Amino acid sequence: MRKRLIVALMLVTITFYGCAKTSEAPKSEEQVTQEASSGTEDSGNQEDEGDLEVRKAHENDEVIGNGSYFVSINGKVFYRRYDEDTFSESNLCENGLIMGAGNLYSNYSKKSELCIYDPATKSTEVFMEDDGFGGLYYANGFFYLKKYDGENNDYTVYRVNIDTREVDHSKDIAGDLLSIDEKTGAIVVNVFDKPEEANVNHLNVYKDDKELMSKETQDYYSAAEFLDGKLYYCIDGDEEDTFYEYDPETNKEVCLGKTNPKKVAGDEFLISWEIRDILKDNDTLYVHYCDYEGSASFYNAGIIYSAKEGAENSIEVLYDNTSDVVSDDGNMYITSDGQIKVDDSKGTYSIGKEYYENKKDANEKAPLIYYEDKDNIKTVVNEFANCPIAKSGFWMNVPNNAVSKIGDNVYMMIPEYVRYDINDVGWRPYYRMLKVKYLEITGSGEVNVIDDIPTTENYIDVEASYANDILSVNCVGVPISDDESEAGKEVKGESTFEYKLADNFEYVEDDTTKTKADFENYIKSGAKKLRLYYNDDGVVSKIIKLS
């Protein structure tokens, strides 16, 4: 079965059946030792000794949020400040921006910066310039980061010394970084052989820059994640999947067994099974499959398997698709009495929709709320965001993958975006990103803006009319299109949106700032083409006359 992996479990393309050997088994401890010695001879004792000193000096570092967008190391918060191009419209479809499924993601970064935020002084400094993307992985004095070469479709893992702030490209590793083991500092990387048509896929484990394990297949690897010092991963076959457990400390691998959710469900209409998440509780591993159907990937069914740590062929069905446990979509968690639950809301933050939607008064504030679970909601900030008027196309949300809880504080990236329906695909709406804000929210509910990054196209072009302090607009512009016959043609969106004007909005004609009276006099004769800019409340703060 072919699957796409959701949230933190990264899906990477790979044919393999049963608990048989792959083309290359994990390396023995003797092999690893020999390679480590060889590496020392090749690169010089000074370099390896230097690495050893760094690791020794940082072996007791306090790390919180490892692998996320915000990582605390000894009380300082590291994050990546993306450049203005990263989330601009030109990248919305072309370079991997995903705003669906509650996530904010881009594998494109032209020029970002790694930054350090000090919660004590509320100050920020640039750690280094960077062109990577995704989460920050850290172990014993070194960051392990990744970048993407879109032209050659290549991923590279690179290492940064936290003390010198330097990248050692002699330690670069080909492939996509999937997970890190905080206990041992081991990382797991996936890489495809070239050309891609060969369908040869490798899953490699490294520790202290030495390869511990390399496994090759012609199927897909998924659910590759370190949990409690062990690597768990799945090889996805056409009909059956095979799960493995690998211990980087002992260099031993165990086949936990095979799964076939399509056969368990026994329903010819449930065919698009994928791994939603994996979870470990003591010595038990839980694997959660979900079936999503249709072009919008609507949730249809779920199955949960369980397996015992270190126990060969122990994986078995715990809850099939008829169970109430999997009646809803979501991630797994363990209750205080040891029960498995599935909840799409648990552990997420949201701008309270019951307050945020369909409000007439743009001055009414919506709270930031936290879901302890779907039935228990906690207010984090009472007045977090202004509510846009009912027909507004302006939105802001809290991406699930861009939030870290560090001590009493919460750190998050908040995207602001506006509906731009000239690029809608059928019933699927299209949005243009306006900016990304980086926030710290203290335990007392204080909101501190760490960074505020507008995109290079933080506006929309519209045809607008004006009455009763409300702009009624239809989007205009040249849509993104693969149809050469339609390329370059300006269109007008079908939906009408309404926006309030800020009390002190700026109106510009021919590069000259005019008054509100000038604007009202200009637009009173009928609909006009305008360029609109927004403030954080979804209110129009600047208008430029286009024609």
Side-chain angles (χ1 to χ4, degrees):
M1 65 206 70
R2 294 291 184 259
K3 307 176 183 70
R4 59 182 173 84
L5 193 57
I6 295 183
V7 191
L9 308 180
M10 303 199 70
L11 174 66
V12 283
T13 302
I14 318 176
T15 295
F16 190 79
Y17 302 95
C19 295
K21 292 183 179 179
T22 51
S23 59
E24 186 172 350
K27 300 183 179 184
S28 68
E29 295 178 14
E30 181 180 0
Q31 284 177 297
V32 174
T33 303
Q34 290 173 347
E35 289 186 5
S37 300
S38 174
T40 300
E41 294 171 3
D42 292 343
S43 58
N45 291 329
Q46 185 175 0
E47 180 183 4
D48 280 1
E49 288 175 1
D51 288 355
L52 185 62
E53 289 176 2
V54 173
R55 293 189 175 98
K56 186 68 175 177
H58 291 277
E59 63 182 355
N60 295 316
D61 284 353
E62 182 181 3
V63 184
I64 304 174
N66 209 345
S68 68
Y69 284 21
F70 298 89
V71 180
S72 174
I73 302 172
N74 299 328
K76 302 292 180 65
V77 178
F78 291 75
Y79 68 96
R80 178 177 280 113
R81 176 197 286 152
Y82 285 100
D83 69 310
E84 295 179 349
D85 285 334
T86 299
F87 296 115
S88 295
E89 185 192 33
S90 59
N91 310 311
L92 196 59
C93 295
E94 296 172 4
N95 289 284
L97 174 64
I98 300 175
M99 286 168 53
N103 294 319
L104 178 66
Y105 177 85
S106 176
N107 60 13
Y108 166 85
S109 179
K110 185 176 180 180
K111 182 184 177 183
S112 62
E113 296 172 328
L114 290 187
C115 297
I116 309 173
Y117 175 75
D118 187 342
T121 63
K122 310 300 181 188
S123 61
T124 301
E125 67 169 299
V126 175
F127 177 73
M128 61 174 287
E129 291 190 354
D130 179 63
D131 58 356
F133 76 97
L136 310 182
Y137 297 83
Y138 178 82
N140 301 327
F142 295 102
F143 284 104
Y144 293 90
L145 309 174
K146 59 184 178 181
K147 66 177 67 175
Y148 177 66
D149 177 358
E151 183 176 345
N152 297 303
N153 192 29
D154 282 334
Y155 291 89
T156 301
V157 179
Y158 55 103
R159 195 188 77 173
V160 181
N161 185 313
I162 193 172
D163 296 325
T164 65
R165 308 188 180 193
E166 295 176 348
V167 179
D168 184 354
H169 286 297
S170 71
K171 305 293 187 181
D172 283 1
I173 299 171
D176 186 10
L177 176 58
L178 305 182
S179 183
I180 190 168
D181 177 24
E182 295 186 57
K183 180 181 177 182
T184 65
I187 62 174
V188 58
V189 174
N190 176 247
V191 63
F192 287 95
D193 282 352
K194 294 292 183 76
E196 286 81 355
E197 292 76 14
N199 291 325
V200 178
N201 206 344
H202 300 267
L203 194 72
N204 302 330
V205 176
Y206 299 86
K207 180 178 181 295
D208 299 340
D209 305 307
K210 306 301 179 185
E211 185 181 277
L212 296 182
M213 185 266 276
S214 179
K215 205 157 187 179
E216 178 183 299
T217 184
Q218 288 186 315
D219 264 325
Y220 294 81
Y221 289 117
S222 64
E225 184 173 2
F226 281 104
L227 298 172
D228 294 336
K230 307 287 180 65
L231 173 66
Y232 294 91
Y233 67 93
C234 173
I235 295 180
D236 306 347
D238 288 328
E239 294 296 332
E240 293 181 317
D241 297 345
T242 309
F243 273 86
Y244 291 90
E245 172 189 288
Y246 172 72
D247 187 339
E249 289 196 318
T250 64
N251 204 39
K252 292 182 179 179
E253 183 179 77
V254 176
C255 176
L256 298 177
K258 297 181 288 185
T259 62
N260 190 334
K262 182 179 177 181
K263 183 177 180 180
V264 171
D267 188 326
E268 63 178 321
F269 296 105
L270 301 178
I271 58 174
S272 299
W273 291 94
E274 60 188 56
I275 299 171
R276 168 71 189 233
D277 59 327
I278 61 175
L279 176 69
K280 192 177 181 184
D281 183 46
N282 297 319
D283 64 347
T284 303
L285 178 74
Y286 300 95
V287 181
H288 182 201
Y289 280 89
C290 290
D291 177 80
Y292 298 95
E293 300 292 343
S295 58
S297 295
F298 292 108
Y299 175 76
N300 277 335
I303 293 174
I304 296 177
Y305 289 82
S306 67
K308 288 298 181 182
E309 178 181 341
E312 188 172 353
N313 294 318
S314 61
I315 199 162
E316 61 184 2
V317 176
L318 182 63
Y319 299 107
D320 67 17
N321 55 300
T322 65
S323 171
D324 290 340
V325 174
V326 292
S327 59
D328 295 320
D329 193 10
N331 291 326
M332 296 181 292
Y333 68 99
I334 309 290
T335 63
S336 58
D337 59 354
Q339 299 297 310
I340 287 282
K341 297 287 186 181
V342 172
D343 187 343
D344 195 32
S345 300
K346 182 176 175 59
T348 64
Y349 292 82
S350 175
I351 299 170
K353 289 185 177 180
E354 61 269 37
Y355 305 97
Y356 194 71
E357 294 177 349
N358 300 320
K359 295 295 182 180
K360 300 293 184 183
D361 184 1
N363 295 316
E364 188 171 355
K365 294 282 188 176
L368 177 69
I369 59 178
Y370 174 73
Y371 289 89
E372 296 181 351
D373 57 51
K374 62 184 176 183
D375 299 318
N376 295 286
I377 301 174
K378 175 185 177 182
T379 297
V380 180
V381 181
N382 283 314
E383 296 185 342
F384 183 71
N386 276 34
C387 299
I389 57 180
K391 295 182 180 180
S392 170
F394 177 90
W395 290 98
M396 57 193 298
N397 70 356
V398 185
N400 296 336
N401 68 333
V403 179
S404 293
K405 181 77 161 61
I406 299 173
D408 293 329
N409 298 343
V410 178
Y411 298 86
M412 59 179 63
M413 295 169 65
I414 299 286
E416 295 180 4
Y417 48 98
V418 66
R419 182 76 181 279
Y420 200 45
D421 66 338
I422 63 169
N423 288 315
D424 284 2
V425 180
W427 54 266
R428 302 166 187 82
Y430 181 95
Y431 296 90
R432 172 176 279 186
M433 186 77 80
L434 303 176
K435 69 160 58 176
V436 177
K437 294 197 297 184
Y438 295 73
L439 303 181
E440 174 194 57
I441 300 172
T442 68
S444 62
E446 177 187 359
V447 179
N448 299 310
V449 179
I450 300 173
D451 256 317
D452 190 326
I453 311 298
T455 65
T456 54
E457 294 180 309
N458 58 333
Y459 57 82
I460 60 171
D461 293 340
V462 301
E463 185 177 281
S465 58
Y466 180 67
N468 301 319
D469 293 324
I470 297 291
L471 272 179
S472 296
V473 310
N474 294 93
C475 300
V476 296
V478 178
I480 300 170
S481 176
D482 294 327
D483 187 345
E484 293 184 5
S485 65
E486 298 296 325
K489 293 183 179 180
E490 184 173 278
V491 301
K492 178 179 176 181
E494 296 181 357
S495 301
T496 300
F497 304 99
E498 295 181 351
Y499 298 104
K500 290 193 69 173
L501 302 184
D503 292 338
N504 58 345
F505 77 91
E506 180 183 2
Y507 173 57
V508 178
E509 284 186 10
D510 301 324
D511 297 325
T512 302
T513 300
K514 301 286 188 176
T515 66
K516 180 179 180 180
D518 291 328
F519 168 72
E520 292 176 339
N521 184 61
Y522 170 67
I523 202 170
K524 68 181 182 181
S525 60
K528 299 294 191 298
K529 290 183 66 176
L530 308 169
R531 177 164 292 174
L532 307 182
Y533 294 81
Y534 299 82
N535 63 22
D536 291 338
D537 296 326
V539 174
V540 175
S541 58
K542 182 178 180 179
I543 300 173
I544 296 179
K545 172 186 172 183
L546 294 181
S547 62

